[in-house]
Amino acid sequence: MARKLVVKVTAGAEDAERCNQAFTVAAAAAAAGAEVSLWLTGESAWYGVPGRAQEFSLPLATPLVDLLGIVLAEGSVTVCTQCAARRGITEGDVIPGVQIKGAAVFAEEILADGVQAVVY
């Protein structure tokens, strides 16, 4: 049985390569059939809001909006509660299917048996 993959991205446009790498790994794993949970923290929390992923640009990279779509279709996407609150993002502001949850839920996910967590 494949392990669940939890990907936590801590960067946004200010570190575009690191941000895109996290989304790319999450989308590739989801497309390959793995159970994927993508956590958006720090400035990446904005990518849980409609229209924000479309604004992201990185030369020679798959568009972030496409990668996000793959993960949303095949896995789960969560915005950190504190990160959302600091940015004024509420449940009513996020893309359908994106959830807002806190550190306790993240810890529970990554401490479960058969889980691989990576942080970007």
Side-chain angles (χ1 to χ4, degrees), residues 10 23 33-34 51 56-57 66 86 103 116:
T10 62
F23 277 80
F56 182 92
S57 178
D66 295 346
R86 280 191 282 277
Q116 175 68 51

Side-chain angles (χ1 to χ4, degrees), residues 8-30:
K8 182 177 188 179
V9 56
T10 62
E14 80 287 353
D15 193 347
E17 284 188 297
R18 184 162 44 116
C19 178
N20 186 265
Q21 288 169 358
F23 277 80
T24 299
V25 166

Side-chain angles (χ1 to χ4, degrees), residues 12 28 30 43 52-53 65-66 70 87 93 95 101 118-120:
E43 286 299 298
R52 293 297 186 113
V65 67
D66 295 346
I70 292 168
R87 289 159 181 82
D93 297 322
I95 298 165
K101 295 189 178 178
V118 293
V119 177
Y120 286 88

Side-chain angles (χ1 to χ4, degrees), residues 31-51:
E35 182 182 354
V36 175
S37 175
L38 176 63
W39 280 75
L40 308 179
T41 68
E43 286 299 298
S44 73
W46 289 114
Y47 301 124
V49 175

Side-chain angles (χ1 to χ4, degrees), residues 32-100:
E35 182 182 354
V36 175
S37 175
L38 176 63
W39 280 75
L40 308 179
T41 68
E43 286 299 298
S44 73
W46 289 114
Y47 301 124
V49 175
R52 293 297 186 113
Q54 288 87 331
E55 296 172 1
F56 182 92
S57 178
L58 181 63
L60 306 175
T62 301
L64 202 69
V65 67
D66 295 346
L67 299 171
L68 179 59
I70 292 168
V71 179
L72 275 170
E74 303 295 330
S76 66
V77 178
T78 306
V79 174
C80 160
T81 300
Q82 289 184 16
C83 301
R86 280 191 282 277
R87 289 159 181 82
I89 300 169
T90 67
E91 288 283 347
D93 297 322
V94 296
I95 298 165
V98 172
Q99 48 199 334
I100 297 177

